[in-house]
Amino acid sequence: MRVVINGAERELPDGARVSDALRAVGVRADERGVAVALDAEVLPRAGWEETTIPDGARLEIVRATAGG
Amino acid sequence: MRVVINGAERELPDGARVSDALRAVGVRADERGVAVALDAEVLPRAGWEETTIPDGARLEIVRATAGG
Amino acid sequence: MRVVINGAERELPDGARVSDALRAVGVRADERGVAVALDAEVLPRAGWEETTIPDGARLEIVRATAGG
Amino acid sequence: MRVVINGAERELPDGARVSDALRAVGVRADERGVAVALDAEVLPRAGWEETTIPDGARLEIVRATAGG
Amino acid sequence: MEDRLTIAGEALRSRLILGSGGFRSLDQFERAIRASGAELVTVALRRVEQAPGGLYEAIERAGCRVLPNTAGCFTARDAVATARLAREAFQTSWVKLEVIGDRRTLLPDAVELLQAAETLVGEGFTVLPYTNEDAVLARRLEDAGCAAVMPLGSPIGSGLGIRNPTAIEMLRQAVGVPVILDAGIGTASDAALAMELGCDGVLSATAIARARDPERMARALRLAVEAGREALAAGRVPRVDHVARASTSDAGLPDLTPA
Amino acid sequence: MEDRLTIAGEALRSRLILGSGGFRSLDQFERAIRASGAELVTVALRRVEQAPGGLYEAIERAGCRVLPNTAGCFTARDAVATARLAREAFQTSWVKLEVIGDRRTLLPDAVELLQAAETLVGEGFTVLPYTNEDAVLARRLEDAGCAAVMPLGSPIGSGLGIRNPTAIEMLRQAVGVPVILDAGIGTASDAALAMELGCDGVLSATAIARARDPERMARALRLAVEAGREALAAGRVPRVDHVARASTSDAGLPDLTPA
Amino acid sequence: MEDRLTIAGEALRSRLILGSGGFRSLDQFERAIRASGAELVTVALRRVEQAPGGLYEAIERAGCRVLPNTAGCFTARDAVATARLAREAFQTSWVKLEVIGDRRTLLPDAVELLQAAETLVGEGFTVLPYTNEDAVLARRLEDAGCAAVMPLGSPIGSGLGIRNPTAIEMLRQAVGVPVILDAGIGTASDAALAMELGCDGVLSATAIARARDPERMARALRLAVEAGREALAAGRVPRVDHVARASTSDAGLPDLTPA
Amino acid sequence: MEDRLTIAGEALRSRLILGSGGFRSLDQFERAIRASGAELVTVALRRVEQAPGGLYEAIERAGCRVLPNTAGCFTARDAVATARLAREAFQTSWVKLEVIGDRRTLLPDAVELLQAAETLVGEGFTVLPYTNEDAVLARRLEDAGCAAVMPLGSPIGSGLGIRNPTAIEMLRQAVGVPVILDAGIGTASDAALAMELGCDGVLSATAIARARDPERMARALRLAVEAGREALAAGRVPRVDHVARASTSDAGLPDLTPA
């Protein structure tokens, strides 16, 4: 299926989990200071493992960057 | 009947018109730069003569004063 | 003889007058707003005609220029 | 004899020394941070004991005070 | 073509707007109007018992137009109601919109102000809001349809002049409608500065009314507004720091050393 | 009686003095003179080869008087010699005395300046010294017989305006002779401020000559000097900090709360 | 008892808050944190591809707490969504709320800011809004439940310091929550002034990160914040205009006139 | 190598010089000395009847050195005579040279000051003249052999801070000897600014002695002087006008728009 991760279209196996998406962008599941929004809603870390990504979903995966 | 003109209770004959209220506070009906609010709604000059004041009504009769 | 007019060496006939020096730098004797210093001393206009320039003298001939 | 110490006329025995004058204004001869001017000239500490005060002399005896 | 302050399509004959508050007498007020050259004069609305009368007539005698304000209003609702009364009283849709947020500083309340502006514009008013020096709020007021914005230089009646010229310049660059510097002007140099910063006009009440000689201060501010406007148009010299720039050349300096 | 700037007993028709340096053309200069309304115009003296000529005539054509300066002099001796030449050239005993102490900042040299002033006063000159904002030196120059003092607002040609208003006010209070703010004026508000601080006049060269439109800036400064003078005479309102002073009374505020 | 900055009941060990933006290297950043003595350090949230990583760890290594901001948001909706992401990412309910109204000046949008603050307070956030120097808006933010207000001294990154001290003082008097001067600090004296005006703390990003020597500037600002706080508590001398007040008495001046 | 203020070859342990005038008690004075960290403390000389005594001892107890001044002198002659007395009293050749030109403003007299400085330098004194913000006079004092120059920020005891930063910067650039900002400091930010302008030290009397809590203000100024010095060395960010410079990049901003 196709999903949009951080603005880029990507192909993921059907039934992929959010944790797979994280792996796809090179984020270790245990990295602290990371957050995920699934279709503009925050998805708590606890749900990363179980939650399967709906087809065509929009994921935002963010971490801390320098800012004033 | 009793009406409140510019915050002060006054006795006016039943069926009194707005123009009577103006007279009561010493304003000539033809004085320019005057406005009237009847129960917080602007009452156009055209209506002063005809409009009878409901019992217990609140009238505000204002004119220009110095202001920055 | 040699004199220095406004910093430049010049040859003038012996017995030359200050008025000759003025002519040499293209100043009409009747031009207003001009002054002359002969060896660092102001020489009044009245003296331009008569005064002969000593050999080796230093003349400054000035006029008004733009200034704050 | 009469001398002027810090602006005030005083009677001192003839042949009085500068050290006597210091005593007269209650300054111990060994107090540090004190200076004496005899007739407007600085008199070094070394001279206090020997120097006799001329009749009518003007003495200034100063010490440190608070100052910006 | 002439360089005139134009608000909502109307060209005014002066860039100075006069506030009518604080004068010691009607006569003094009339002399100040004339000396100021102002066309617009602000007034407030009050109950007839507290409003002596004669003011409106005096303003018309002077050939000026009334600009009613909503002074004393602390909510959008009161300001809107007051504006409607004023429109009826003076047959003008122009209003200097004031919605105050704090009794002590008389600073405007951004939120209520914007809300009142939107309502009044919707009712066809020509709205001139008294606002703070906030470029973003000014843009929002313009977007809401205000005919001009009137940022403060410093608190009403303080005479502190323009405390934040940078903010006024940024505000000026942020909006297209006329900018009238309102509040804080204390004297002529303040008014000149306002114009140099790019303001299109200046409103003054206290500075004139409470000066020792109001008529004379009115003339001073009229001249200052003109001066500042001219200076802006003339294009000032750049500022240079720490070094001087000679206004006289050394070329041709005579040598006057004695022999 | 008229309010005119009077120096050494001569009443001038303008409080603005024009510096002739920095203009792009003689024609532009003449238009600026007229727009400025100035009566006194400063000039320098230079060797005829470097001084095109026509300037003096232009100034007289405009009905103005020449005020020669001693620009470029770094010692009392040179300044005195230059003043004598100027007196002969222009048949005037007036001189704007400049004795510079530093080429970079063109700041005056207090010691040489005072010495030159004493000499020239002794020779019957009417001396207007360009000085710093030092009240004590200004008093000394007055005691030496100077006809006026010309403190700087900021370095010559910097356009930084009046960097130290407090010092100018103290200087103003320290002397009885006229005080002409010289150097640093960049635009109209600077000139107005100078007058509000109590200065009797303003000299401007760079601000006018190097403005994008010199004629217009000349008019701006003329208006600003008038405005500042009027404002001073009008007696400005006091400054109040941190609180506003309402220009509209709350008495008689109508109650427009809906029932 | 100690004099510490306390926000939402938490006493911080420093009144200086450090912004993490603009450093040339992570190492330089860590040295600056230590030199600043700050406990709170702001961070932004960005997509992992654009956010190198290591920053969060560095801040924790330094024993500091992260204060996430909502930089880059132009609407209440985006700011709220960003705050929620930040809470999840850093397990903190604290947020420096930024809702920008203009790309060029990065000035806050009063209306969107207040709206976002109300929403976030309702969701249990500890909200520190970046706001303008408007005392009325600050009071509204406090009324909405914000834990502190962060007025700007001048535009973000401008280094212009505090352009309107009067406004900051009025704001300080208008609210009870801590006031953190945010944006505009350029150097030590700016930070000291902020504290002298009554601010409870200072946030600095650019001034430190973009200084030639960030570590040294961090130390300078730490000292300056302490200095300003001490000076406020010490009670400064009143300002006196135009006259001096001798710090040495003339009483007992010796007479050293030669005979 | 350490960054210490070095005058006439002697490295001092502090850049803050304390004036001893104006304290309410000797005890308060001693606590302020310690809090200030100052090594040099100024004193005046007065007739013993008017000078209680104990001051000199207190200064030495605190491990500080006396810097005698010539306060109260209006002529070079008196100042020179006073300096000679001081040298004898305190066995120091150092003197803070004051020659006042006006009782009301306590401004220095340039001419007498320079003359006194020349004489004292000739007699082997280490002369630190209290002068105005005049770069040219400062250069002359340096040329005369003064070991430092002490320009005023504003009138003695006025607490107005540094009225003319531009002049102080120009003065700083004009001389090579240490520049000590003397007079006018009111609070911490003034002292920090002095150092940021390039001054090598600050002298404070009134600001500390007459603060509500002198000991605390002494600490504040000590920190401020350090802070300003550090900030200068750190190299501040440039000032940018009218636009902001983001401290957070927009790159990687997440898209949080609801579907």
Side-chain angles (χ1 to χ4, degrees):
Chain A
M1 65 180 178
R2 308 192 67 61
V3 298
V4 177
I5 304 179
N6 287 349
E9 280 233 337
R10 286 167 175 273
E11 188 65 37
L12 286 188
D14 292 9
R17 311 296 174 87
V18 169
S19 45
D20 301 318
L22 283 153
R23 227 168 281 107
V25 293
V27 176
R28 299 191 329 282
D30 65 345
E31 178 181 337
R32 305 181 46 250
V34 171
V36 176
L38 175 54
D39 289 329
E41 289 304 323
V42 176
L43 181 72
R45 180 175 290 265
W48 293 354
E49 213 41 73
E50 305 69 33
T51 314
T52 58
I53 310 175
D55 189 0
R58 225 170 72 250
L59 279 157
E60 292 288 342
I61 305 173
V62 298
R63 74 155 65 95
T65 190
Chain B
M1 65 180 177
R2 310 192 65 60
V3 297
V4 178
I5 305 179
N6 287 351
E9 280 234 336
R10 286 169 173 273
E11 188 64 37
L12 283 189
D14 292 9
R17 311 295 174 85
V18 169
S19 46
D20 301 320
L22 283 153
R23 228 169 282 107
V25 292
V27 176
R28 297 189 333 280
D30 66 346
E31 178 181 337
R32 305 181 47 254
V34 171
V36 175
L38 175 52
D39 290 328
E41 289 304 325
V42 175
L43 180 73
R45 178 175 292 265
W48 293 355
E49 212 42 73
E50 305 69 34
T51 314
T52 57
I53 311 175
D55 190 0
R58 223 170 72 248
L59 278 157
E60 292 288 342
I61 306 174
V62 297
R63 75 157 64 96
T65 190
Chain C
M1 64 179 177
R2 308 192 67 62
V3 297
V4 178
I5 304 179
N6 287 349
E9 281 233 337
R10 286 167 174 274
E11 188 66 36
L12 285 189
D14 293 9
R17 311 296 174 88
V18 169
S19 45
D20 301 318
L22 282 154
R23 228 169 278 106
V25 293
V27 176
R28 300 191 328 283
D30 65 346
E31 179 182 336
R32 305 183 44 253
V34 171
V36 176
L38 176 52
D39 290 327
E41 290 303 325
V42 175
L43 181 73
R45 180 174 291 263
W48 294 354
E49 214 40 73
E50 304 70 32
T51 313
T52 58
I53 310 175
D55 189 359
R58 225 171 71 248
L59 278 158
E60 292 288 342
I61 306 173
V62 297
R63 74 155 64 94
T65 190
Chain D
M1 66 178 178
R2 309 192 67 60
V3 299
V4 179
I5 305 179
N6 287 350
E9 280 234 335
R10 288 170 173 271
E11 189 64 37
L12 284 188
D14 293 8
R17 311 295 173 86
V18 168
S19 45
D20 301 320
L22 283 155
R23 229 169 279 106
V25 292
V27 176
R28 297 189 333 281
D30 65 346
E31 178 182 337
R32 305 181 47 250
V34 171
V36 176
L38 175 53
D39 290 328
E41 289 304 324
V42 175
L43 180 72
R45 181 175 289 266
W48 293 355
E49 213 42 72
E50 305 70 34
T51 313
T52 58
I53 310 174
D55 190 359
R58 225 171 71 250
L59 278 157
E60 292 288 343
I61 305 174
V62 298
R63 76 156 62 95
T65 190
Chain E
M1 75 104 221
E2 251 189 311
D3 170 50
R4 289 168 68 182
L5 169 58
T6 302
I7 299 175
E10 300 200 31
L12 301 171
R13 63 173 180 268
S14 169
R15 293 181 175 278
L16 179 59
I17 300 177
L18 183 65
S20 64
F23 287 91
R24 300 181 196 86
S25 75
L26 202 56
D27 166 67
Q28 188 188 62
F29 170 56
E30 293 196 57
R31 279 186 281 106
I33 295 182
R34 290 185 172 74
S36 74
E39 174 169 354
L40 280 183
V41 181
T42 64
V43 299
L45 271 184
R46 292 294 181 261
R47 288 166 169 173
V48 291
E49 297 86 346
Q50 281 79 20
L55 186 77
Y56 183 42
E57 293 70 11
I59 293 168
E60 298 206 313
R61 260 200 309 284
C64 295
R65 293 170 43 185
V66 159
L67 174 62
N69 69 26
T70 60
C73 296
F74 283 77
T75 63
R77 200 204 60 217
D78 282 358
V80 166
T82 304
R84 290 174 184 149
L85 259 186
R87 174 158 60 177
E88 171 63 19
F90 309 116
Q91 300 300 310
T92 175
S93 65
W94 288 36
V95 61
K96 177 190 167 187
L97 179 62
E98 296 183 41
V99 189
I100 301 306
D102 171 57
R103 221 169 264 292
R104 211 165 128 281
T105 58
L106 298 180
L107 293 171
D109 182 316
V111 178
E112 296 284 323
L113 180 68
L114 185 57
Q115 192 182 312
E118 286 163 346
T119 305
L120 290 172
V121 168
E123 297 182 11
F125 280 87
T126 295
V127 181
L128 292 72
Y130 158 68
T131 179
N132 56 28
E133 329 95 312
D134 179 344
V136 172
L137 179 60
R139 172 100 66 29
R140 277 183 165 258
L141 289 163
E142 174 177 38
D143 294 344
C146 292
V149 289
M150 307 182 74
L152 55 84
S154 49
I156 292 173
S158 70
L160 292 175
I162 299 175
R163 298 313 294 230
N164 197 346
T166 311
I168 295 296
E169 282 181 293
M170 290 193 296
L171 184 151
R172 164 69 289 179
Q173 292 161 9
V175 300
V177 292
V179 175
I180 315 291
L181 202 286
D182 185 7
I185 295 293
T187 184
S189 53
D190 298 333
L193 175 59
M195 302 306 288
E196 290 161 1
L197 294 173
C199 293
D200 302 280
V202 167
L203 184 150
S204 168
T206 304
I208 291 174
R210 299 205 166 125
R212 200 178 52 237
D213 180 341
E215 182 175 8
R216 202 156 188 180
M217 186 58 85
R219 184 163 47 246
L221 293 192
R222 177 173 57 68
L223 291 164
V225 166
E226 259 186 79
R229 183 71 180 178
E230 280 295 276
L232 179 70
R236 62 156 293 153
V237 292
R239 293 177 177 80
V240 285
D241 241 322
H242 305 134
V243 293
R245 211 169 34 175
S247 55
T248 310
S249 155
D250 281 353
L253 202 61
D255 171 6
L256 299 169
T257 334
Chain F
M1 76 102 222
E2 253 189 309
D3 170 51
R4 288 169 70 183
L5 169 58
T6 302
I7 299 174
E10 300 199 31
L12 302 171
R13 62 171 181 269
S14 167
R15 293 182 174 279
L16 179 58
I17 300 177
L18 183 65
S20 64
F23 287 91
R24 300 180 194 85
S25 75
L26 203 55
D27 166 67
Q28 188 187 65
F29 169 55
E30 293 196 56
R31 278 185 282 105
I33 295 183
R34 289 185 173 72
S36 74
E39 174 169 355
L40 281 184
V41 180
T42 65
V43 299
L45 271 185
R46 292 292 181 263
R47 287 167 168 171
V48 291
E49 297 86 346
Q50 281 78 20
L55 186 77
Y56 183 42
E57 293 69 11
I59 292 168
E60 298 206 314
R61 260 201 308 285
C64 296
R65 294 169 43 184
V66 160
L67 174 62
N69 69 25
T70 61
C73 296
F74 284 77
T75 62
R77 199 204 62 217
D78 282 358
V80 167
T82 303
R84 290 174 183 150
L85 260 186
R87 173 158 61 179
E88 171 62 19
F90 309 115
Q91 300 301 309
T92 174
S93 64
W94 288 38
V95 62
K96 177 189 167 188
L97 179 62
E98 295 183 40
V99 189
I100 301 307
D102 172 57
R103 221 169 267 289
R104 210 164 129 283
T105 59
L106 298 181
L107 293 171
D109 182 316
V111 178
E112 296 284 323
L113 180 68
L114 184 58
Q115 192 182 314
E118 285 163 346
T119 306
L120 290 172
V121 168
E123 296 184 9
F125 281 87
T126 295
V127 181
L128 292 74
Y130 157 68
T131 180
N132 56 29
E133 329 95 314
D134 179 344
V136 171
L137 179 60
R139 170 100 63 33
R140 275 182 166 260
L141 288 163
E142 175 178 37
D143 294 344
C146 291
V149 289
M150 307 183 74
L152 55 85
S154 49
I156 291 173
S158 70
L160 292 175
I162 299 175
R163 299 312 295 229
N164 197 346
T166 311
I168 296 295
E169 284 181 292
M170 290 193 296
L171 185 152
R172 164 68 288 179
Q173 293 159 8
V175 299
V177 292
V179 174
I180 314 292
L181 201 288
D182 185 6
I185 295 294
T187 185
S189 53
D190 298 334
L193 175 59
M195 301 306 289
E196 290 161 1
L197 293 173
C199 293
D200 302 280
V202 166
L203 185 150
S204 167
T206 303
I208 292 174
R210 300 205 165 123
R212 198 178 55 238
D213 180 342
E215 182 176 7
R216 203 156 187 180
M217 186 56 86
R219 185 164 45 248
L221 292 193
R222 177 174 56 68
L223 291 164
V225 166
E226 260 185 77
R229 182 73 178 176
E230 280 294 278
L232 179 70
R236 63 156 293 153
V237 291
R239 293 176 176 82
V240 285
D241 242 324
H242 305 132
V243 292
R245 209 170 36 175
S247 56
T248 309
S249 154
D250 282 352
L253 202 61
D255 172 5
L256 299 170
T257 335
Chain G
M1 75 102 221
E2 250 189 311
D3 170 51
R4 289 168 70 183
L5 168 58
T6 302
I7 298 175
E10 301 199 30
L12 301 171
R13 62 170 181 267
S14 168
R15 293 181 174 279
L16 179 59
I17 300 177
L18 183 64
S20 64
F23 287 91
R24 300 182 194 85
S25 75
L26 203 55
D27 166 67
Q28 187 188 65
F29 169 56
E30 293 197 56
R31 278 186 282 105
I33 294 183
R34 289 184 172 73
S36 73
E39 173 169 355
L40 281 183
V41 180
T42 65
V43 300
L45 271 185
R46 292 294 181 263
R47 288 167 166 171
V48 291
E49 296 86 346
Q50 281 78 20
L55 186 77
Y56 182 42
E57 294 69 11
I59 292 168
E60 298 206 313
R61 259 200 309 285
C64 296
R65 293 169 43 186
V66 159
L67 174 63
N69 69 25
T70 61
C73 296
F74 284 76
T75 63
R77 199 204 60 218
D78 282 358
V80 167
T82 304
R84 291 175 184 150
L85 260 185
R87 173 158 60 178
E88 170 62 18
F90 309 116
Q91 300 300 309
T92 174
S93 64
W94 288 37
V95 61
K96 177 189 167 187
L97 180 63
E98 296 184 41
V99 189
I100 301 307
D102 171 57
R103 223 168 264 291
R104 212 165 127 281
T105 59
L106 298 182
L107 292 171
D109 182 316
V111 178
E112 296 284 323
L113 180 68
L114 185 56
Q115 193 182 313
E118 286 163 346
T119 306
L120 290 172
V121 168
E123 297 183 9
F125 280 87
T126 295
V127 181
L128 292 73
Y130 158 67
T131 180
N132 56 28
E133 330 95 314
D134 178 344
V136 172
L137 179 60
R139 171 101 64 30
R140 276 181 166 261
L141 288 163
E142 174 177 38
D143 294 344
C146 291
V149 289
M150 306 183 74
L152 55 84
S154 50
I156 291 172
S158 69
L160 292 175
I162 299 175
R163 299 312 294 232
N164 196 346
T166 310
I168 295 296
E169 283 181 293
M170 290 193 298
L171 184 152
R172 164 69 289 181
Q173 294 160 9
V175 299
V177 292
V179 175
I180 314 291
L181 202 287
D182 185 7
I185 295 293
T187 185
S189 53
D190 298 334
L193 175 58
M195 301 306 288
E196 290 161 1
L197 293 173
C199 293
D200 301 281
V202 167
L203 185 150
S204 167
T206 304
I208 292 174
R210 299 206 166 123
R212 199 177 55 237
D213 180 342
E215 182 176 7
R216 202 156 189 180
M217 186 58 85
R219 185 163 46 248
L221 292 193
R222 176 173 58 67
L223 291 164
V225 166
E226 260 186 78
R229 182 72 179 176
E230 280 294 278
L232 179 70
R236 62 156 293 151
V237 291
R239 292 177 177 81
V240 286
D241 243 323
H242 304 132
V243 292
R245 210 169 36 173
S247 55
T248 311
S249 155
D250 282 353
L253 202 62
D255 172 5
L256 299 170
T257 335
Chain H
M1 75 101 222
E2 252 189 311
D3 170 50
R4 288 168 69 182
L5 168 59
T6 303
I7 299 175
E10 300 199 31
L12 301 171
R13 62 172 179 267
S14 169
R15 293 181 175 279
L16 179 59
I17 300 177
L18 183 65
S20 64
F23 287 90
R24 301 181 195 86
S25 74
L26 202 56
D27 167 67
Q28 188 188 64
F29 169 56
E30 292 195 59
R31 278 185 282 106
I33 295 183
R34 289 183 174 73
S36 73
E39 173 169 355
L40 281 183
V41 181
T42 64
V43 299
L45 271 185
R46 292 295 180 261
R47 287 167 168 171
V48 290
E49 296 86 345
Q50 281 79 21
L55 186 76
Y56 183 43
E57 294 70 11
I59 293 168
E60 298 206 314
R61 259 200 309 283
C64 296
R65 292 170 42 185
V66 160
L67 174 63
N69 68 26
T70 61
C73 296
F74 284 76
T75 64
R77 200 204 61 218
D78 282 358
V80 167
T82 303
R84 291 174 183 148
L85 260 186
R87 173 157 60 177
E88 171 63 18
F90 309 116
Q91 300 300 309
T92 174
S93 64
W94 288 37
V95 61
K96 177 189 167 187
L97 179 62
E98 295 183 42
V99 189
I100 301 306
D102 171 56
R103 220 169 264 292
R104 209 165 129 284
T105 58
L106 298 181
L107 292 171
D109 182 315
V111 178
E112 296 284 323
L113 180 67
L114 184 58
Q115 194 183 311
E118 286 163 346
T119 306
L120 290 171
V121 168
E123 296 183 10
F125 280 87
T126 295
V127 181
L128 293 73
Y130 157 69
T131 179
N132 56 28
E133 328 97 312
D134 178 343
V136 172
L137 180 60
R139 172 100 64 32
R140 277 183 165 258
L141 289 163
E142 174 177 38
D143 294 344
C146 292
V149 289
M150 307 182 73
L152 55 84
S154 49
I156 291 174
S158 69
L160 293 175
I162 299 175
R163 300 311 295 226
N164 197 345
T166 311
I168 295 295
E169 283 181 293
M170 290 193 297
L171 184 151
R172 164 69 290 179
Q173 293 161 8
V175 299
V177 292
V179 175
I180 314 291
L181 202 289
D182 185 8
I185 295 294
T187 184
S189 53
D190 298 333
L193 175 59
M195 301 306 289
E196 289 161 3
L197 293 173
C199 292
D200 302 279
V202 166
L203 184 150
S204 168
T206 304
I208 292 174
R210 300 207 165 122
R212 200 178 52 238
D213 180 342
E215 183 176 7
R216 201 156 189 180
M217 186 58 86
R219 184 163 47 246
L221 292 193
R222 176 173 57 67
L223 290 164
V225 166
E226 261 185 77
R229 182 72 179 177
E230 279 295 278
L232 179 69
R236 61 156 293 152
V237 292
R239 293 176 176 81
V240 285
D241 241 324
H242 304 133
V243 293
R245 211 169 34 174
S247 54
T248 310
S249 155
D250 281 352
L253 202 60
D255 172 5
L256 300 169
T257 334

